[in-house]
Amino acid sequence: MNGLPLISAHGLDDVLAWRPSGPVTVRDFLADAQAVASVLPAGQGVLNLCEDRYHFAVLFAACVLAGKTSLQPASHSGVTLQRLAQEHPGAFGVVDGPFDVADLPCIDFPDLATLPRSPAQEMPMVEADRVVAILFTSGSTGLPQPHAKTWGRLVQNGQAEAVGLGLGGGRMVLVGTVPAQHSYGFESTFLLALHGGCSFWSGKPFYPQDVVDALQAVPRPRMLVTTPFHLSALLASDLDWPALDMCLSATAPLGTELAARAEQRSGAPVHEIYGSTESGQLACRRTTDGPLWHLLPGVVLEQENDTTYAREGHVEGRVPLSDIIELQGEGRFLLHGRHADLINIAGKRSSLAYLNHQLCAIDGVLDGAFFLPESADDEVEGITRLTAFVVAPGVSADTLQRALRQRIDRVFLPRPLVLVDALPRNSTGKLPRTALLALYQERLGHGRA
C-alpha cells in the first residue's frame, strides 16, 4: 500500500492543538480520534458539522481511521443539507451544538471524557489515492458543487502552503475566523497543522473581541487566518491587538490599503492565499509587496484561449479556473478578477470587484456590493441597470451617489442605491449571489427601496 502518515509534520509528543483546557499532543489527539471512530454508526458519508475546530479535526481523523468519507459543505442551509442527504444515501451528520439539520439523520459529537481511550503508540498510515473528503463550493454563483479530495493530494497541499508562506519549522499557532468546513479554513487551519508543522486553536472567533481573546489564549509565534471582512471589522474596533507574527487572508481580494493598515496595527506581515475549492490553494503573496502572485511548490498554470488551467502538485487533475489571469513567467502571475464579474453596459466594460472596491473606499461606507439583475424588467431603454446595497450609517444615498460619480463611469452608477443595515455575508465573509438576489427581491421586488 502506498501509505502516507495521518500527521506528517509532528512527533507523537508535539503539540497539535490548543483548547481552553490547554495544549493537546498528537498522541492524545490520535487517541481521541480512535475513540470516536469506534462509536461512529454505519454509513459511508459523514457531514462534519462541528463548530469547534478541535471537534472537527477529531471527527475528520476518526472518519479517516474508520474508512468513511468526510462531507464538508461550506453552506449549512436546509436546502444544501437535504440535497446532500439525497445524493449520499446513508450519510449522517455530526453536530456539537444546536443545529437545524432538517430531515438529515444526525448524532451529537460524543463527550470525549466518557469514551474509553488509550494513548497512541504509532502514527496511522493512510492510502495516498483514497478519497477521504468531498468539499463543496460555497455556492457564490449557484448551487454548491462537490469536489473529491484524495489523501495524498491533501498531504501535499498542507506541505506546499507551509513552504509557500515560508513557515519552515516555526511551529506557528493558527487562530482562524473561518470555518474548517470551508476549503480555505480546511487547508489553512487544519492541513497546515497536520502537514505544515503548525498547531491550531480550537475555537472559531467571529467578533473582534473574540478574535483578540483567542489570540491571547495561545503562545507565539501565532498567525491569524482570516478574511478581509473580519480584518476590516477588527481594524474598525478600538481593541488592542496581541502581538502577531503573521496574518493570512483569503475568500475575497484584499486591498493594499487595508493590508498596510493591518500590518501597521499588528506589526506582522499580511499575506494572501489564492485558490478555489475545485483546485485547492494555488499561490500566495504579501499584499503590500505588489500585485504579483507566486505559485505554491509543484503547481503549474497553463492557458488555452481565455481559460487558465491549474495542474500538478496537489491539484486533483487539470482544473479550469474562473479567474482572468496574466502569466508573468517564473511561477508568477497577475490576477484580474473573475470571468463572472465582468459586465458590459452600453458597450463599456468593468468588473463587479472594481466597482465594489470604489464603493467601499468612500468615507463612511462600512460595507457595500453592486448587484447585476438578470431580468429584462430591470432594463431602462434596453440597458441593464446596476443596483448597489450599502452599509453607511449616517450617510445619505445622494451623498454616496455624488461620491461615486467622481470614481466610476456614469453608466455604472447604481439605480437604485439601497441603504441597508448589513449585507447577508456568510461565515467566510462571502456574498452568495442567492443571498443578494433574496435581498434584491425583498427590497425592490415590489418597486420599493
Side-chain angles (χ1 to χ4, degrees), residues 211-223:
V211 175
V212 169
D213 291 345
L215 290 171
Q216 290 175 334
V218 299
R220 297 182 66 182
R222 51 198 172 204
M223 177 167 73

Side-chain angles (χ1 to χ4, degrees), residues 52-69:
D52 182 287
R53 206 175 303 272
Y54 185 73
H55 291 171
F56 170 90
V58 168
L59 180 58
F60 183 93
C63 289
V64 172
L65 296 175
K68 299 181 185 296
T69 303

Side-chain angles (χ1 to χ4, degrees), residues 254-272:
L254 177 64
T256 304
E257 180 183 355
L258 181 60
R261 288 171 54 210
E263 290 194 347
Q264 183 177 18
R265 185 85 167 264
S266 68
V270 176
H271 293 256
E272 289 180 89

Side-chain angles (χ1 to χ4, degrees), residues 23-358:
V24 181
T25 66
V26 170
R27 192 184 302 275
D28 287 336
F29 170 80
L30 292 175
D32 285 342
Q34 188 60 65
V36 171
S38 67
V39 299
L40 289 177
Q44 176 61 30
V46 181
L47 277 79
N48 191 337
L49 303 173
C50 293
E51 291 289 318
D52 182 287
R53 206 175 303 272
Y54 185 73
H55 291 171
F56 170 90
V58 168
L59 180 58
F60 183 93
C63 289
V64 172
L65 296 175
K68 299 181 185 296
T69 303
S70 291
L71 307 177
Q72 296 173 206
S75 168
H76 292 168
S77 69
V79 172
T80 297
L81 297 182
Q82 289 173 5
R83 179 182 169 215
L84 293 184
Q86 293 171 356
E87 294 178 352
H88 298 272
F92 61 92
V94 180
V95 300
D96 57 0
F99 198 93
D100 182 6
V101 293
D103 296 326
L104 177 73
C106 198
I107 64 171
D108 291 327
F109 185 86
D111 182 353
L112 295 174
T114 65
L115 297 179
R117 55 196 295 279
S118 57
Q121 301 302 318
E122 60 182 9
M123 183 63 64
M125 304 296 285
V126 184
E127 193 171 353
D129 59 0
R130 180 183 141 203
V131 173
V132 296
I134 299 178
L135 275 59
F136 294 79
T137 57
S138 63
S140 298
T141 57
L143 290 174
Q145 298 299 312
H147 294 276
K149 304 294 180 178
T150 60
W151 182 245
R153 301 288 185 170
L154 292 181
V155 172
Q156 289 179 279
N157 189 317
Q159 294 172 342
E161 182 175 11
V163 173
L165 293 176
L167 297 183
R171 303 299 184 191
M172 192 77 73
V173 183
L174 312 171
V175 174
T177 65
V178 288
Q181 289 83 0
H182 185 274
S183 57
Y184 167 46
F186 179 61
E187 293 167 334
S188 296
T189 67
F190 180 57
L191 295 183
L192 191 56
L194 264 61
H195 305 296
C198 301
S199 58
F200 63 89
W201 171 245
S202 62
K204 190 189 71 175
F206 183 85
Y207 296 106
Q209 184 64 63
D210 298 331
V211 175
V212 169
D213 291 345
L215 290 171
Q216 290 175 334
V218 299
R220 297 182 66 182
R222 51 198 172 204
M223 177 167 73
L224 178 62
V225 181
T226 189
T227 72
F229 171 69
H230 293 97
L231 197 56
S232 180
L234 192 57
L235 283 167
S237 73
D238 295 326
L239 299 171
D240 291 329
W241 295 22
L244 281 177
D245 296 277
M246 185 177 289
C247 183
L248 187 66
S249 178
T251 74
L254 177 64
T256 304
E257 180 183 355
L258 181 60
R261 288 171 54 210
E263 290 194 347
Q264 183 177 18
R265 185 85 167 264
S266 68
V270 176
H271 293 256
E272 289 180 89
I273 281 283
Y274 166 73
S276 67
T277 304
E278 299 91 327
S279 65
Q281 52 198 356
L282 300 174
C284 60
R285 68 173 180 177
R286 182 176 179 180
T287 313
T288 56
D289 282 349
L292 283 175
W293 292 86
H294 302 268
L295 289 174
L296 296 182
V299 176
V300 174
L301 297 185
E302 56 189 16
Q303 293 179 321
E304 290 183 11
N305 300 320
D306 294 332
T307 302
T308 302
Y309 295 84
R311 62 179 180 85
E312 303 299 332
H314 56 270
V315 180
E316 303 274 1
R318 185 172 183 261
V319 179
L321 304 179
S322 301
D323 297 290
I324 302 169
I325 287 174
E326 180 183 344
L327 299 180
Q328 296 290 299
E330 298 181 348
R332 302 173 302 165
F333 64 89
L334 295 171
L335 187 61
H336 296 299
R338 297 175 66 87
H339 286 286
D341 277 351
L342 294 179
I343 54 177
N344 186 328
I345 298 179
K348 295 187 176 182
R349 296 177 180 272
S350 188
S351 73
L352 293 175
Y354 172 80
L355 296 175
N356 290 342
H357 174 76
Q358 295 301 322

